[in-house]
Amino acid sequence: MTKLYFSGLFILLLFITSGCEMQPVKPWERGTLAKPSMQLTPDEVENALDEHIYFSKEASTGGQGIGGGGCGCN
Amino acid sequence: MSYSSSKKIRDSLSLACCSLLQVAPEASATPIGDVSIDSAVLIYSESDNRVSLIEPVVKLKTELKEDQFLSVQLVFDALTGASPNGAQASNVAQTFTSPSGVGEYTTPANELPLDSTFRDSRFAMAATLESPIDRLQKNIYSLSLSAEHDWNSLSAGYTYSKDLNLRNTTVMTGASLTYDAISPVGGAPVEFAQMLAPGFSQPKDGKKDRNTIDFIAGISQVLNRSTITQLNYSVSQSDGYHNDPYKILSLLDDTSALPTGNYLYEKRPDNRQRHIIYWKTAHHFTDDVINIAYRYYQDDWGIVSHTADLKYRYELSAKSFLQPHIRFYSQTAADFYRHSLLASEASALPDFASADFRLGEFNSTTIGLKYGRELGNNRHFSSRLEVMQQSGNSQPADAFGEQLNQDLYPDLTAIILQFSYSFIW
C-alpha cells in the first residue's frame, strides 16, 4: 500500500513538472509567485499546529526548519 | 564618456529598475509599524476517549523597519484524556500504579491499558527576527520556549539566507541549540525497574535533561512564473534523557502470554541522530494552486519514514477557496521496539526496550478539507476539518498464546478541527 502511495506521488510530480522548463523569471514577471497562496508555507500557523500534532504522534519530525518543538508530548 | 563608465551607468539603471519593479510578496505588504495578526483555535480529539486537546494560537508579525520583520507566536494547549501506558491488553483486568506513585488505576479485561491520569497543559512562545544584511542577504534569529509542569524547553537558532540569480534562487543554512529540562511526575523511573504498587518506594532517578543541536541547509528555486520548489537537508543530534517516563512494558508468561502482574519501565538509548531530506513544490495553475511535499527521514534508532503531503487550493471565487488535503505517512519500527517482554528475559534484559506505539511500525493517513474566505479590509477566515487514521500490525509474527486473542496495535482515529482568523492591526 505504501509503495502505491509513493508511486502515485511520483507520477503526479512528473505530470506537474512536465510543463516546467526552468527559465529565469524577471522581477516584473513575479505577480503569480508573489501571491500569498504561492508562498512555500502559505499558512504558517496551520503548519506549526500540524507539526506539533505529528511530532506528538509519530517518531519522525523536522525537515522544514530547525529548533523549537521541545515538548513532553513525545 | 568611456565605454566602461557608460556600461556602469547602464548596469546601475538596470539594477534600479529591477529593484523598483521587484514585486514583494503580498503577505508582507503590511505598512511598517502595522501588525498582522493570525489567530487560530485547534481542537484535536482521538477516538476511544484517548487524548483530547484544545490549542489557541496567536501570531503577531510586524515590519520594524524596511525589510526587518519581527514575529512572535504564542501557543497554549490543554490536554485531557488517556494515553496508552505501553502494557499489553489481556483477558484479565490489570492494575497499574499512577505516575505519582500514590494512586492506581485498573484496565478491564480485553481493553488497551490507558493511563487515565494523563493531564497536561503547555505554554509555548516562539520569536523570529528577520534582519537584512543587504538587498540579497539576511540573518534570521529565532528563540523559542515551552513550559509544562514536567517539561521545559528552550531553543535558540540562527539562519543565514542569500538570494542569487535575480532572486530566482535562495540558499540558506542554519543551526539551533535546544535544551530540555525534564522533571517527570514522581521523578524519572529507574530504567527497567519494576513498577511497584502504591505505597512502596519506587526507585527513581529524579530530574533529567537533554541537549539537541540541529543543522539545516536548503535551496529554493523559482522554476518559472508559476512554480517554486524547495529542497532541505537537516541533521539533528540529541544527547540525554530520551525515555518516556510514563511508559512501561508487560512482562508476560513464556507459555501463555498472560500477564505475570509485573511491568518494567522502558529504556531507550541516551542519544539519537536524525537525518531528514525535505522537498516541497508549489505550482499555480490558471486559478488554483497545488502544494506537494515529501520528506524522507531516518535515525540511528532504526526508524525510516516517508511522508507525502498534498494540498490543492481550488478557487471558488475571487474571495473564497476550498482546499482538500491528503497526507500519507509510513514508518518502520525502532530496533528496540517490543510489544512486550517475556518473564524469562527478566534475568537477561535487552539493552533497550520500549512498547511505545509511536516507535512501532505503522502507517498513517490524514484526509481533510479547508474552506477559506476573504472578509475585506485584510481580514481572512478559514476553517478545516481533517481525519487522521493510524494503523499498525495488530498480529505480529511473534505473537503467541493470549496475544493471538488481542489487538497488539489498535488503530487510532483522530479528528482535527481548526478555525482561523487573521487581520491587520
Side-chain angles (χ1 to χ4, degrees):
Chain A
M1 193 64 173
T2 305
K3 282 182 182 170
L4 186 67
Y5 291 160
F6 294 101
S7 303
L9 179 75
F10 184 66
I11 291 166
L12 187 64
L13 176 65
L14 282 181
F15 169 74
I16 288 171
T17 54
S18 60
C20 299
E21 53 183 273
M22 199 151 131
Q23 47 194 251
V25 176
K26 305 291 188 302
W28 55 89
E29 297 174 328
R30 287 176 176 253
T32 298
L33 292 166
K35 289 183 175 182
S37 60
M38 275 300 288
Q39 305 311 299
L40 281 163
T41 305
D43 189 333
E44 292 179 357
V45 168
E46 180 181 308
N47 192 60
L49 288 168
D50 274 352
E51 288 275 293
H52 186 221
I53 290 172
Y54 296 118
F55 168 72
S56 64
K57 288 288 142 195
E58 298 168 351
S60 315
T61 185
Q64 297 191 60
I66 47 170
C71 168
C73 49
N74 194 344
Chain B
M1 186 179 284
S2 69
Y3 170 76
S4 64
S5 62
S6 69
K7 184 177 183 300
K8 274 183 189 170
I9 292 168
R10 194 168 62 241
D11 288 348
S12 300
L13 283 171
S14 301
L15 192 65
C17 288
C18 287
S19 299
L20 285 170
L21 290 165
Q22 175 77 44
V23 183
E26 290 175 26
S28 61
T30 311
I32 291 176
D34 284 5
V35 182
S36 70
I37 300 177
D38 296 327
S39 62
V41 175
L42 173 79
I43 297 159
Y44 171 89
S45 180
E46 295 178 357
S47 55
D48 302 325
N49 296 319
R50 285 168 68 171
V51 176
S52 289
L53 171 147
I54 183 160
E55 186 167 342
V57 187
V58 62
K59 182 170 186 173
L60 316 165
K61 186 171 184 180
T62 189
E63 188 171 9
L64 300 172
K65 56 186 183 184
E66 190 176 359
D67 289 335
Q68 185 180 70
F69 296 92
L70 174 69
S71 70
V72 178
Q73 179 172 289
L74 304 170
V75 181
F76 176 77
D77 56 48
L79 289 89
T80 55
S83 179
N85 66 6
Q88 198 170 291
S90 184
N91 63 357
V92 292
Q94 301 179 80
T95 299
F96 306 96
T97 306
S98 61
S100 64
V102 295
E104 60 183 22
Y105 57 95
T106 299
T107 300
N110 300 312
E111 286 189 16
L112 178 68
L114 301 172
D115 177 1
S116 54
T117 65
F118 180 66
R119 298 274 184 284
D120 208 352
S121 58
R122 181 179 75 110
F123 169 76
M125 189 277 290
T128 304
L129 177 67
E130 286 183 30
S131 192
I133 300 170
D134 57 30
R135 203 175 61 84
L136 299 174
Q137 303 175 86
K138 65 181 170 185
N139 295 318
I140 303 166
Y141 307 95
S142 59
L143 183 71
S144 57
L145 58 91
S146 171
E148 295 166 70
H149 71 284
D150 58 353
W151 192 291
N152 291 293
S153 179
L154 179 65
S155 179
Y158 167 74
T159 304
Y160 165 80
S161 84
K162 181 171 186 174
D163 294 336
L164 306 164
N165 185 26
L166 280 178
R167 287 188 162 168
N168 284 287
T169 306
T170 303
V171 291
M172 65 91 167
T173 185
S176 73
L177 295 170
T178 303
Y179 175 73
D180 294 307
I182 305 149
S183 47
V185 174
V190 169
E191 294 167 331
F192 282 147
Q194 187 176 319
M195 173 184 266
L196 300 180
F200 288 86
S201 180
Q202 181 75 47
K204 298 278 186 171
D205 261 352
K207 296 179 179 178
K208 297 290 181 180
D209 61 10
R210 185 197 302 174
N211 288 292
T212 306
I213 183 163
D214 296 324
F215 292 101
I216 191 168
I219 181 168
S220 59
Q221 176 68 45
V222 170
L223 296 179
N224 56 40
R225 290 182 188 195
S226 53
T227 312
I228 183 165
T229 191
Q230 179 186 44
L231 185 68
N232 293 342
Y233 167 70
S234 327
V235 59
S236 169
Q237 173 73 41
S238 52
D239 293 281
Y241 189 72
H242 286 73
N243 297 341
D244 184 326
Y246 309 123
K247 292 281 190 280
I248 55 175
L249 294 111
S250 293
L251 214 53
L252 302 180
D253 181 82
D254 281 59
T255 50
S256 64
L258 286 167
T260 59
N262 294 327
Y263 306 94
L264 304 186
Y265 285 97
E266 67 161 39
K267 181 182 180 185
R268 306 183 188 190
D270 60 6
N271 56 70
R272 190 176 191 180
Q273 189 172 86
R274 309 164 185 257
H275 296 267
I276 306 143
I277 295 171
Y278 181 83
W279 168 82
K280 184 189 267 188
T281 288
H283 176 74
H284 200 290
F285 295 102
T286 306
D287 295 313
D288 305 340
V289 178
I290 190 167
N291 212 306
I292 307 173
Y294 167 75
R295 177 180 67 182
Y296 173 81
Y297 168 101
Q298 74 169 60
D299 64 30
D300 59 1
W301 286 6
I303 294 165
V304 173
S305 78
H306 302 274
T307 311
D309 193 283
L310 188 153
K311 290 177 175 141
Y312 188 91
R313 178 176 163 131
Y314 173 73
E315 299 291 339
L316 292 169
S317 68
K319 289 191 171 182
S320 62
F321 68 89
L322 268 182
Q323 182 173 274
H325 172 216
I326 188 158
R327 178 184 188 270
F328 297 118
Y329 175 81
S330 170
Q331 76 171 50
T332 60
D335 298 332
F336 53 88
Y337 175 75
R338 296 284 303 270
H339 47 70
S340 55
L341 293 172
L342 297 176
S344 61
E345 291 182 278
S347 56
L349 288 165
D351 290 339
F352 309 104
S354 172
D356 188 338
F357 287 133
R358 295 170 296 187
L359 298 177
E361 180 178 348
F362 69 88
N363 296 320
S364 177
T365 303
T366 305
I367 295 176
L369 187 66
K370 177 178 176 180
Y371 171 75
R373 183 167 185 84
E374 274 186 40
L375 303 173
N377 292 328
N378 286 314
R379 295 174 300 136
H380 305 268
F381 167 80
S382 66
S383 177
R384 65 169 168 146
L385 177 64
E386 305 199 325
V387 180
M388 179 183 81
Q389 171 97 35
Q390 285 186 350
S391 56
N393 188 353
S394 56
Q395 278 300 302
D398 59 348
F400 70 102
E402 173 58 18
Q403 289 179 323
L404 298 172
N405 302 321
Q406 301 295 336
D407 186 347
L408 302 191
Y409 204 108
D411 286 356
L412 171 69
T413 302
I415 301 288
I416 298 163
L417 177 64
Q418 183 186 326
F419 299 98
S420 302
Y421 178 67
S422 58
F423 58 101
I424 307 288
W425 185 52

